[in-house]
Amino acid sequence: FSTSVVLFLLANFLPNYSAINKQIIYTKIMVLALVMNIILNLLLIPKYSYIGASVAAVIPQFLQSLLLFLLVKNFYKNAIY
């Protein structure tokens, strides 16, 4: 359930980054989350099985959402209208 909520929230950030011509930032954050997910999977799955897999999936998605939100918020706060 929590993964669906996070993915729903992430879908709202891409149009913002496209509108401010910062798609490369979005891509870099996605790659960072991917690498973090792979590392956490390698560390957590052998020891914690499916619980480790679920934690390894949720943590990078949460941090990814947080980073994307903060960067968009910071850009619009500093924007000149």
Side-chain angles (χ1 to χ4, degrees), residues 60-80:
Q61 288 181 357
F62 174 76
L63 293 176
Q64 177 183 6
S65 297
L66 183 65
L67 275 173
L68 290 171
F69 171 75
L70 292 175
L71 290 172
V72 167
K73 181 181 171 190
N74 187 35
F75 177 81
Y76 284 118
K77 182 178 76 170
N78 295 330
I80 299 172

Side-chain angles (χ1 to χ4, degrees), residues 6-66:
V6 172
L7 290 175
F8 172 75
L9 294 174
L10 284 176
N12 295 320
F13 286 115
L14 183 57
N16 285 313
Y17 280 92
S18 295
I20 62 176
N21 203 23
K22 301 287 185 189
Q23 298 93 336
I24 192 71
I25 293 173
Y26 185 85
T27 304
K28 287 179 181 179
I29 291 173
M30 298 294 269
V31 169
L32 176 70
L34 171 71
V35 171
M36 185 186 309
N37 191 335
I38 291 170
I39 291 170
L40 286 173
N41 277 325
L42 292 173
L43 294 174
L44 296 177
I45 290 176
K47 187 171 183 177
Y48 298 107
S49 184
Y50 62 91
I51 301 293
S54 63
V55 169
V58 171
I59 289 175
Q61 288 181 357
F62 174 76
L63 293 176
Q64 177 183 6
S65 297
L66 183 65

